[in-house]
Amino acid sequence: MSSNISRRDFLRLAGMAATATAATAAQAALAPEARAAGAVTAPQWESKFGACDMCFNRCGLIARVERGVIKKLDPNPKFTKSRGMLCARGNAGVDQVYDPERIKTPMLRVGNRGEGKWKAIGWDEALDLAASKMKDIAAKYTRCGMLFSAGADTQSQFVHRFAEAFGSYNITSHESLCLLSGNRAFVDTFGDVPLPDVRSSKYVILAGANRMEALVTPDSMDLMTIMREGAKVVVLDPRYTKSAALASEWHAIKPGTDMAFMLALAHVIITEKLYDPKFVAERTSGLDQLAAHVAEMTPAWAEAETGIPAADILRMARELAAAAPAAMVYPGRRSSDYENSTQIRRSFAIVNALLGNWDRPGGLVPARPAGLKKVPFEPPFYDDNPPGRVDAKSVPLLFDDEGSFVITRENIIKGAPYPLKGWFVYKTNPMATAPDRRKTREMIDKLEFMVVVDIAMSDTAWMADLVLPAPSALERQDPVQALQAGAEGACLVWRDPVIPALHQSRPVFEILKTLSVKLGFPEAFDFDIPKYREMQLAALPEAAEILKRDGVYYPPNPPLGGTDGQPFKTPSTKIELYSNRYADLGLDPLPVYASPKASPDAGRKFRLVAGRSACVTQASSTNNALLSEFEPENTLWLNEESAKELGVKQGDVVQVESPAGKGELKALVTPKIRKDTVYMLSGFGTISGKLSHTTGVGASIVELMESRFDAICGNSAIHETFVSVKKKGAA
Ligand SMILES: Nc1nc2c(c(=O)[nH]1)N[C@H]1C(S)=C(S)[C@@H](COP(=O)(O)OP(=O)(O)OC[C@H]3O[C@@H](n4cnc5c(=O)[nH]c(N)nc54)[C@H](O)[C@@H]3O)O[C@H]1N2
Ligand SMILES: Nc1nc2c(c(=O)[nH]1)N[C@H]1C(S)=C(S)[C@@H](COP(=O)(O)OP(=O)(O)OC[C@H]3O[C@@H](n4cnc5c(=O)[nH]c(N)nc54)[C@H](O)[C@@H]3O)O[C@H]1N2
Ligand code: SF4
Ligand SMILES: [Mo]
């Protein structure tokens, strides 16, 4: 909505930005031989394969490099997972490389925490310091006194490996702020996290997923294609998103009521016997209990909860069932919404199971074989360590390898069950992505040492003791990564530098390898990246050559249906409509619906929800100069009737307040959101002194969000906050 430049202008700007901001960087970037010989002798143009890193989709790309300067990024046509697309953020990847605000050298904090006083230091000093601080913490607080957090990245596996070798169980990632409740739900129902085969689907219900802006490849493009071919896409969202605008049908569902909608679908599907009887009898367990559970959950009942007309719910249930198994309740991705998100997502899984849309075209399909080998490693055992993670046993079904960032943070603040005093952060920015920024700050204040490896001075880096500069994905060599694309199968990508790393940046792999020597466990990193790739590809002898030739490799993809007759990885070996495991743990074995709690405070009338823009990645690409042309600041989406009641006009500055914090930003008065809901984009109102596009611009959504989490798995719950809104200066 805020975009006022065309796609063509944008692509031109992307090229120009590379030329302008790269002028000096170009000198540094030239290979030494080229510099010695004079730039004229360097090849004019080179095309090099890469994989985008502006989000986790890792779309295959071709970098056009002229004399050591990246001029343009294009999609790799052989990378069919993204259907030949490189999105706006992907194009703007050039600016991430040549961003003048990039961290250039290791930086040591010299002022108070968060004050922004830094001293540039050399790598030797930086890594000696990191090693000695980590040693001190291990000696004083055991090895579990260090927390390791790594975001979505091909090299994050090395952070996990390092943490294990170092001896800490405390590892978190972006996942407990993102998708764990959805994963929990599907693992506990299907025994696995299935993938949607959107391409062959005839009917898709998108609930709480905005695929036309929150891009997931190939799903986003496939939704467009199937609609052109006559498939139906239904969107349930309290906001009129771009997905809603493009869909066949949109319902402004009341936030927090999706489970009522799904249980009503199950009611219709069961009472009208629209389910797949053979599939349900042979492959699921608990139909009778489910039937009894949803007996009273009629479309009329769900209408009162969701605001969606009963006749529409009835019709959608019938249409969905008629299209099955080439139909789906889209499983979604981010599910860090509510305290009962695991159960909400279980209701999604259950409707899919009734329809028998498993391992068939157009339904949910199992992950396909990728053929990558794990690189083995036996972590040492330290007998003075505490028995488990700092967040262990905090919720009934924590994922042990991911834990819960929100609960870990709470326990660090409390110092219980044991003190945790050091933090190694790689490529994740919890100061901007974990709900309740003041709590993250409070946690950081308890630490004795914090080191952040990032490309930019994120708000998290801004709080650190030591900041280490990372190269972008266009400047480094990465291991092989397997990506899944529904029925199309897995594909493999890797990265080689398209230009030498700028400034003094060093990949986290090198940082960890050096630290592993200094800390006395060099065997954990007893390889370089080429050797590591070789080990990963041991079972795919032809893959390396094809990766070099095409920039992507497709392993053999067996046809769908391979799991027919096979047990599911659940305790009963069936899809569990009813979960005995949940019953044994004292959890509801079927998703039990309760109306969402009203605001505890009459003054705080609006539920605050989060969501994506196609031109912003999470909370951290907002400082990209090209992308900020599209999203220069965030605004508060406020329904026009609510605005009228509050006396707020288009563009007025409003004050938003919650028990966690407050913020000021301009109002976007719009019919595109429910009266009881407000929305703002994440990634603004930053505090870092080195994010000039976002610091002091708009408001921070994490300043407003309360610290809540899913009761079953500890995933953050970022839609549980009610806020008050008033015009600035109004009483
Ligand atoms: N351009 C872009 N693409 C991305 C990303 C990005 O940052 N930018 N991030 C990637 C990542 S990590 C993820 S996890 C995915 C996230 O992609 P999605 O899973 O699609 O998540 P969101 O964009 O957060 O969309 C959630 C939608 O739910 C709506 N909503 C809020 N409350 C409710 C409710 O109670 N019920 C229903 N039915 N809807 C509700 C919100 O208004 C919002 O539009 O996107 C991925 N793709
Ligand atoms: N308010 C709010 N909170 C959210 C969400 C939301 O929509 N709104 N979404 C949630 C979801 S779904 C997710 S997945 C999480 C994501 O949460 P985060 O993992 O924190 O994601 P980003 O905001 O993308 O932060 C990525 C960090 O990596 C840095 N970076 C980028 N490229 C490189 C590189 O090549 N090397 C290194 N070392 N660093 C690099 C960036 O500068 C940035 O600091 O946030 C969750 N929290
Ligand atoms: S969806 Fe866009 S940002 Fe994400 S990897 Fe693909 S091109 Fe890059
Ligand atoms: Mo995410």
Side-chain angles (χ1 to χ4, degrees):
M1 259 186 273
S2 55
S3 70
N4 47 18
I5 60 174
S6 69
R7 176 176 159 81
R8 192 204 260 157
D9 280 349
F10 174 73
L11 292 174
R12 188 176 47 79
L13 278 170
M16 271 169 43
T19 317
T21 56
T24 42
Q27 301 310 317
L30 283 176
E33 324 79 76
R35 244 178 296 168
V40 237
T41 60
Q44 289 282 308
W45 277 99
E46 288 173 283
S47 291
K48 296 183 174 182
F49 290 121
C52 180
D53 191 42
M54 294 296 285
C55 85
F56 71 94
N57 284 307
R58 301 191 180 93
C59 300
L61 59 77
I62 301 175
R64 312 296 181 183
V65 182
E66 190 183 7
R67 295 182 194 164
V69 180
I70 307 165
K71 287 296 177 82
K72 190 168 183 302
L73 303 174
D74 285 318
N76 176 355
K78 295 225 165 132
F79 185 84
T80 54
K81 175 180 184 275
S82 51
R83 313 290 187 238
M85 178 263 342
L86 200 66
C87 80
R89 294 168 300 147
N91 275 276
V94 177
D95 194 74
Q96 191 193 39
V97 177
Y98 299 117
D99 182 352
E101 287 184 302
R102 233 180 107 164
I103 307 167
K104 299 183 180 72
T105 63
M107 306 281 274
L108 180 68
R109 174 167 73 81
V110 289
N112 291 327
R113 213 184 263 297
E115 197 186 6
K117 291 199 177 137
W118 301 97
K119 181 177 137 197
I121 59 171
W123 273 105
D124 288 347
E125 189 186 341
L127 294 180
D128 281 345
L129 177 77
S132 85
K133 291 284 184 186
M134 286 161 89
K135 253 186 214 159
D136 287 352
I137 285 170
K140 270 164 81 181
Y141 306 106
T142 83
R143 287 160 182 274
C144 288
M146 278 296 302
L147 169 66
F148 294 85
S149 300
D153 190 66
T154 311
Q155 295 207 9
S156 291
Q157 59 193 301
F158 298 132
V159 179
H160 287 243
R161 191 181 183 96
F162 184 91
E164 285 177 22
F166 179 81
S168 177
Y169 313 140
N170 291 311
I171 306 172
T172 63
S173 74
H174 63 290
E175 293 201 357
S176 70
L177 302 170
C178 171
L179 46 62
L180 288 186
S181 34
N183 285 4
R184 188 76 268 164
F186 278 90
V187 166
D188 294 343
T189 311
F190 278 76
D192 238 318
V193 180
L195 294 150
D197 178 29
V198 174
R199 182 63 189 87
S200 301
S201 209
K202 303 281 181 260
Y203 201 99
V204 179
I205 296 181
L206 277 183
N210 179 12
R211 241 349 116 255
M212 302 303 179
E213 291 174 89
L215 303 183
V216 171
T217 61
D219 306 5
S220 300
M221 291 74 83
D222 285 349
L223 282 167
M224 299 295 293
T225 308
I226 63 169
M227 278 194 285
R228 273 201 301 275
E229 292 172 354
K232 196 155 180 188
V233 175
V234 174
V235 169
L236 310 186
D237 198 305
R239 297 189 299 131
Y240 188 69
T241 59
K242 294 202 167 68
S243 304
L246 291 163
S248 329
E249 193 169 331
W250 166 61
H251 296 277
I253 190 169
K254 181 174 181 196
T257 65
D258 296 66
M259 190 199 287
F261 176 85
M262 298 299 161
L263 295 177
L265 292 186
H267 168 94
V268 176
I269 292 168
I270 294 173
T271 52
E272 298 192 359
K273 295 210 171 359
L274 303 176
Y275 56 88
D276 178 336
K278 186 163 182 284
F279 183 88
V280 168
E282 289 173 6
R283 317 262 345 242
T284 73
S285 67
L287 178 67
D288 293 345
Q289 289 108 316
L290 176 66
H293 182 63
V294 299
E296 307 298 319
M297 295 175 180
T298 61
W301 164 80
E303 173 176 341
E305 294 298 327
T306 60
I308 304 175
D312 288 330
I313 301 175
L314 179 66
R315 176 180 47 79
M316 285 188 266
R318 289 174 180 164
E319 287 173 351
L320 182 73
M328 67 176 83
V329 174
Y330 184 78
R333 184 173 164 95
R334 186 175 71 76
S335 45
S336 50
D337 299 336
Y338 297 98
E339 289 174 331
N340 65 336
S341 273
T342 295
Q343 293 285 23
I344 294 175
R345 299 285 162 152
R346 232 172 83 68
S347 72
F348 290 27
I350 284 170
V351 174
N352 283 311
L354 286 175
L355 300 173
N357 70 357
W358 169 248
D359 208 2
R360 291 286 179 271
L364 304 187
V365 301
R368 318 296 292 154
L372 275 192
K373 290 262 180 248
K374 286 221 166 78
V375 177
F377 168 63
E378 199 50 59
F381 180 77
Y382 296 97
D383 48 16
D384 61 336
N385 260 346
R389 304 177 52 101
V390 79
D391 52 357
K393 302 202 170 91
S394 50
V395 281
L397 289 168
L398 196 75
F399 282 98
D400 276 341
D401 46 347
E402 290 294 339
S404 159
F405 178 75
V406 175
I407 302 172
T408 296
R409 180 179 68 183
E410 207 58 53
N411 290 357
I412 293 174
I413 294 170
K414 283 194 287 209
Y418 53 84
L420 197 157
K421 296 289 184 184
W423 196 11
F424 182 103
V425 186
Y426 172 64
K427 206 189 182 208
T428 183
N429 184 12
M431 278 289 289
T433 53
D436 200 340
R437 182 163 76 180
R438 284 196 290 196
K439 283 228 173 201
T440 313
R441 182 67 221 256
E442 218 183 309
M443 158 190 162
I444 293 170
D445 283 339
K446 300 280 179 194
L447 302 176
E448 291 177 11
F449 181 64
M450 173 175 173
V451 50
V452 173
V453 185
D454 204 299
I455 190 163
M457 190 62 93
S458 69
D459 279 359
T460 305
W462 191 247
M463 300 306 301
D465 299 294
L466 180 64
V467 179
L468 302 176
S472 73
L474 294 164
E475 305 161 80
R476 60 176 146 98
Q477 191 173 44
D478 274 348
V480 187
Q481 173 87 35
L483 306 169
Q484 293 284 342
E488 183 178 298
C491 66
L492 303 182
V493 291
W494 67 21
R495 296 184 177 107
D496 284 319
V498 307
I499 56 166
L502 294 184
H503 315 300
Q504 289 185 34
S505 59
R506 273 193 201 174
V508 78
F509 171 72
E510 272 180 44
I511 294 172
L512 297 170
K513 190 172 161 81
T514 310
L515 288 175
S516 75
V517 176
K518 291 185 191 291
L519 289 164
F521 47 86
E523 65 287 351
F525 288 87
D526 183 17
F527 49 80
D528 56 13
I529 300 278
K531 177 78 196 141
Y532 192 81
R533 288 173 172 182
E534 240 174 68
M535 295 187 277
Q536 289 181 293
L537 293 176
L540 299 166
E542 76 291 6
E545 278 312 306
I546 295 174
L547 274 160
K548 279 183 214 151
R549 189 191 71 198
D550 293 345
V552 57
Y553 170 74
Y554 288 88
N557 187 31
L560 291 181
T563 63
D564 287 5
Q566 302 290 316
F568 288 92
K569 288 179 248 156
T570 56
S572 65
T573 73
K574 308 241 174 172
I575 299 175
E576 304 202 336
L577 306 174
Y578 179 96
S579 169
N580 282 311
R581 183 172 182 217
Y582 277 28
D584 292 345
L585 288 166
L587 302 171
D588 292 328
L590 286 158
V592 172
Y593 180 77
S595 303
K597 281 181 232 134
S599 171
D601 171 349
R604 287 188 283 122
K605 289 207 280 206
F606 302 98
R607 188 185 290 273
L608 176 65
V609 300
R612 297 294 197 270
S613 148
C615 295
V616 172
T617 293
Q618 276 93 254
S620 308
S621 73
T622 37
N623 197 53
N624 181 299
L626 290 168
L627 295 174
S628 87
E629 297 270 344
F630 290 93
E631 298 286 8
E633 65 185 320
N634 63 350
T635 52
L636 187 80
W637 286 36
L638 184 64
N639 177 277
E640 48 196 13
E641 286 177 41
S642 310
K644 207 172 194 178
E645 283 164 23
L646 295 167
V648 172
K649 297 206 180 59
Q650 193 65 273
D652 280 352
V653 174
V654 287
Q655 292 175 319
V656 188
E657 197 164 343
S658 78
K662 49 182 151 183
E664 285 184 5
L665 73 173
K666 284 185 198 147
L668 181 89
V669 177
T670 174
K672 296 181 181 180
I673 190 163
R674 285 176 60 96
K675 278 185 70 177
D676 54 4
T677 308
V678 290
Y679 160 83
M680 66 170 84
L681 201 53
S682 308
F684 288 90
T686 55
I687 56 168
S688 160
K690 302 268 182 214
L691 300 172
S692 56
H693 291 278
T694 55
T695 294
V697 177
S700 161
I701 191 171
V702 286
E703 182 78 22
L704 291 161
M705 284 170 171
E706 292 176 84
S707 172
R708 304 287 191 82
F709 56 86
D710 181 272
I712 294 181
C713 71
N715 199 22
S716 65
I718 67 178
H719 294 181
E720 292 281 15
T721 303
F722 288 92
V723 296
S724 64
V725 177
K726 63 174 189 186
K727 187 173 162 177
K728 189 176 179 184

